[in-house]
Amino acid sequence: MKKMLAVLLSVVLLAATGSSALADTDITLSAGAVGGSWYMYGALFNDLWTANIPGLNATLIAGAGNSNPYAVDNNESQLGFTYVHTARDAYNGQGVSAQPAENIRLLMNIRSIFYFTCMLDKSLGITSFDDIKEKKPALVCAVGAAGSGSEEVFRAVFEAHGITYEDIESWGGRIEYVGGGSGADLFRDGHVNVLSNAAPQPYSTWVEVAASRDVVLLPIDDTAADAMKELGYDVDTIDTTPYGDPTGMILSAGPTSILIVNKDVDEELVYQMTKLLYENFDNLIEIQSDLRGFDPENAANADIPLHPGAERYYREIGLIQE
């Protein structure tokens, strides 16, 4: 249904955008796991672009935050979703590969923040990281696919509180590297007692899972929040009540999503894609509310260079003035 609405939206917007025709061009956009937030964003964006840029053929494929910069760098995908800090590290050769991803450029900071959202089975009697360190329970944790943004956030938050994977295993627990859907099933069926993800708030899949079990959401503490900021994560509060935890607002942290593009993608094409996204973002939010964190004033900001096509558009509207 959302995709149908997106197609309808993009066709209606055709006359307003005035995009000029390009020669037939194929692009591939690397998102996240099928059915995840990035995948839904990618479907919306591709619908908007292909309906408004004659000659453009856009394909959406699954990907991951840590690998997408390298896929875009190698031109295996022309565009991809990743995080501000991940793109920065990859560009500078400090990411999962020592080879700098020098060919990646920023198209837009969409500022969709994927907050650490960690649910524990209430029967564990754990409500804080201090409880974990004191009681040393056997935590069986579904943390996301290995190397994914969700797994990276889980590892970073626990280490910021002085807890490593080795600690968890020494207490009789284990780490399950499974995607969100499989992790949710394992938690629902009682095979794991910790379910974690990095996601916009509230995360509907986790809300559905929590409806079947009594859960507690794990807050991060102030000291750990400072450590997460140093790593490049955003810190803010999230509401536990949609998950059936009456605590209310707790502190969390998460990475900010951006859209990157290979530097060799045609400048005029990137200009048109940037213009379409920026001028229609309010309409996209109506279809996909997870995008509501978008800040127009921050669209051109990240720790990697802008693509010339995106930069031309941002200068045209006065977002970049120097």
Side-chain angles (χ1 to χ4, degrees):
M1 182 63 177
K2 286 182 178 178
K3 186 170 183 177
M4 292 174 62
L5 287 171
V7 172
L8 176 60
L9 169 68
S10 58
V11 172
V12 169
L13 293 171
L14 179 57
T17 59
S19 297
S20 59
L22 296 167
D24 285 347
T25 302
D26 297 321
I27 63 164
T28 299
L29 170 59
S30 288
V34 175
S37 295
W38 279 349
Y39 208 86
M40 291 186 287
Y41 301 168
L44 277 177
F45 294 0
N46 277 358
D47 284 342
L48 180 66
W49 291 328
T50 55
N52 290 284
I53 304 176
L56 180 64
N57 302 303
T59 301
L60 179 66
I61 63 172
N66 285 336
S67 61
N68 285 349
Y70 302 100
V72 173
D73 179 63
N74 294 323
N75 209 31
E76 296 164 4
S77 299
Q78 288 67 57
L79 298 104
F81 291 104
T82 189
Y83 303 114
V84 170
H85 73 285
T86 307
R88 176 199 64 211
D89 291 348
Y91 183 79
N92 292 317
Q94 299 171 342
V96 296
S97 170
Q99 181 67 33
E102 296 177 339
N103 297 320
I104 63 172
R105 298 292 185 268
L106 178 67
L107 189 147
M108 185 176 290
N109 184 332
I110 63 174
R111 204 181 175 273
S112 176
I113 301 175
F114 284 25
Y115 288 107
F116 171 73
T117 313
C118 187
M119 298 195 307
L120 282 69
D121 188 314
K122 190 174 181 179
S123 66
L124 288 169
I126 300 295
T127 61
S128 69
F129 281 97
D130 284 342
D131 285 346
I132 294 175
K133 289 186 283 189
E134 178 183 346
K135 298 180 180 180
K136 300 178 173 57
L139 301 178
V140 184
C141 313
V143 300
S148 66
S150 293
E151 189 266 326
E152 182 183 65
V153 172
F154 181 91
R155 183 192 299 268
V157 168
F158 269 68
E159 289 182 353
H161 288 88
I163 302 171
T164 65
Y165 283 3
E166 290 75 16
D167 291 330
I168 292 171
E169 292 167 355
S170 72
W171 301 334
R174 67 178 186 273
I175 304 298
E176 296 285 353
Y177 297 99
V178 293
S182 298
D185 290 339
L186 290 172
F187 187 80
R188 187 183 290 110
D189 295 338
H191 298 301
V192 301
N193 52 27
V194 179
L195 178 62
S196 185
N197 199 12
Q201 295 299 305
Y203 185 45
S204 59
T205 302
W206 267 215
V207 171
E208 293 171 5
V209 173
S212 64
R213 299 188 66 174
D214 290 331
V215 304
V216 173
L217 262 68
L218 197 59
I220 68 175
D221 63 33
D222 291 338
T223 302
D226 291 339
M228 295 301 289
K229 289 178 183 177
E230 288 294 321
L231 292 173
Y233 291 90
D234 278 88
V235 173
D236 206 340
T237 56
I238 64 172
D239 188 3
T240 70
T241 56
Y243 306 96
D245 177 347
T247 304
M249 305 307 292
I250 62 171
L251 202 59
S252 186
T256 300
S257 299
I258 61 175
L259 183 61
I260 59 174
V261 59
N262 185 281
K263 69 178 181 62
D264 294 327
V265 176
D266 181 77
E267 179 179 332
E268 177 62 23
L269 175 58
V270 175
Y271 170 86
Q272 292 186 24
M273 296 170 83
T274 306
K275 178 181 175 70
L276 280 161
L277 276 186
Y278 190 89
E279 295 183 357
N280 294 299
F281 223 96
D282 285 346
N283 297 294
L284 296 173
I285 292 170
E286 289 184 11
I287 299 170
Q288 184 60 52
S289 62
D290 287 356
L291 291 167
R292 63 187 175 275
F294 177 66
D295 177 7
E297 296 300 313
N298 195 50
N301 295 332
D303 295 329
I304 61 172
L306 279 162
H307 188 284
E311 182 176 352
R312 174 156 64 96
Y313 175 70
Y314 294 134
R315 288 189 183 280
E316 181 180 284
I317 63 173
L319 200 59
I320 300 175
Q321 297 180 344
E322 71 276 7

